[in-house]
Amino acid sequence: MIAWLPHASTAAVSFVGHLDEGELRLLTGAVSVVTVLISVFAITRPLRYQKSAALLDQAVRALERAYNALTVDGAQTDPVPADRLNWLTAARNLETYKALKRKIGVKVHRRIADDHEEHWRHLIYLALQGDAYHQPTYYGEVVAPRAQRRSGIEPHSAVIVHAFAKWPDGRPDPVEHADFDRIFEETDPRPGNVGLRTFLDAPQSRGTSRFRNLPDPYPKGTWWRRCLRTLRLRQRL
C-alpha cells in the first residue's frame, strides 16, 4: 500500500551499516534524546492544557464573585450598597481575576476569558450607572450614632471597580471587525423590519453610510470568499 516503505527501510539499514562504532554511539544518543523530548512533550502538553483550563475556571469564578459581592448577588443595583466590605471584596476578586488571567497559557482559553470579562464588565457597568455614584457622600464616611454609622468606601477599591467597568483603552471592539458581508449573506436583518430598513437607508442617520442602498436580496458570496473569511476568523481566534 505504501510502496516507499521498503525502500526507506533498506536505505536506513544501509546508512546504519556504514557507521563506525563512535558514530553508532552518537546516533544512539541522539535517538534517545529525541525520544525523551517527544515523551516530555506528550506528557506536558495535556498538563499545560489542563492547568490553563483550571485557571480559566477560577478566573471566571472570580469575576462572578466580584459582581455578587458588589451587588449582593445581583439583588441591589440601584444603587449598589455603599458598603466598604462589599467594595473591597469586589475589588479583590477583580484583581484575582487579572492575576489568574495573566497565567492562562492556552490562547483559546484567553479568548474565552476575554468574553467572560466583557460579560461581567457590562453587568458591573450597568450597576454603576445612576446619580448616586456622582455624589462624594456616597463614598464618604458617615459619622452618626452607631446604628447609622458607615465607614465609607476604601479608595483603592473604588478605583479598581470603577476602572474595570470602563472599556479598556487599546482593546479592539469586535463590532468594528465584524464581517458584515457575511452577516447580510447569511441573515439579512432587513426583510420584515421596515423600521430598520428605513433607519439604515436614511441619509441623516449617523454611521449608516455603509448600509445604504444595499442590494435586496443581498447576493451570496462565492465559495472562495467564504474560505478567505473563515481563514481570517481562525487567525483572529
Side-chain angles (χ1 to χ4, degrees), residues 2-14:
I2 304 179
W4 56 269
L5 276 178
H7 300 288
S9 177
T10 302
V13 171
S14 176

Side-chain angles (χ1 to χ4, degrees), residues 15-31:
F15 171 75
V16 173
H18 286 82
L19 298 178
D20 58 31
E21 184 177 352
E23 291 172 332
L24 282 173
R25 290 178 180 174
L26 183 61
L27 178 62
T28 302
V31 170

Side-chain angles (χ1 to χ4, degrees), residues 71-180:
T71 64
V72 191
D73 296 330
Q76 300 182 38
T77 59
D78 189 24
V80 301
D83 185 283
R84 182 184 182 90
L85 181 58
N86 289 4
W87 279 75
L88 274 171
T89 303
R92 288 165 180 159
N93 277 287
L94 290 176
E95 289 302 298
T96 296
Y97 163 75
K98 296 173 188 177
L100 290 170
K101 182 183 175 182
R102 285 192 291 268
K103 296 180 180 179
I104 295 176
V106 177
K107 187 175 181 180
V108 68
H109 289 162
R110 290 197 298 271
R111 175 63 183 271
I112 294 172
D114 286 338
D115 289 343
H116 281 285
E117 180 180 326
E118 294 316 314
H119 169 75
W120 291 106
R121 171 175 286 114
H122 178 64
L123 292 183
I124 292 176
Y125 168 81
L126 292 178
L128 295 180
Q129 299 304 298
D131 295 335
Y133 309 107
H134 298 285
Q135 306 301 322
T137 52
Y138 175 86
Y139 306 93
E141 180 181 2
V142 175
V143 180
R146 188 175 184 85
Q148 291 82 32
R149 189 178 305 169
R150 193 179 70 196
S151 299
I153 306 300
E154 201 282 323
H156 297 84
S157 66
V159 170
I160 290 171
V161 173
H162 276 289
F164 180 81
K166 294 183 176 295
W167 186 269
D169 288 340
R171 174 169 294 184
D173 188 341
V175 173
E176 296 177 357
H177 299 279
D179 187 345
F180 287 102

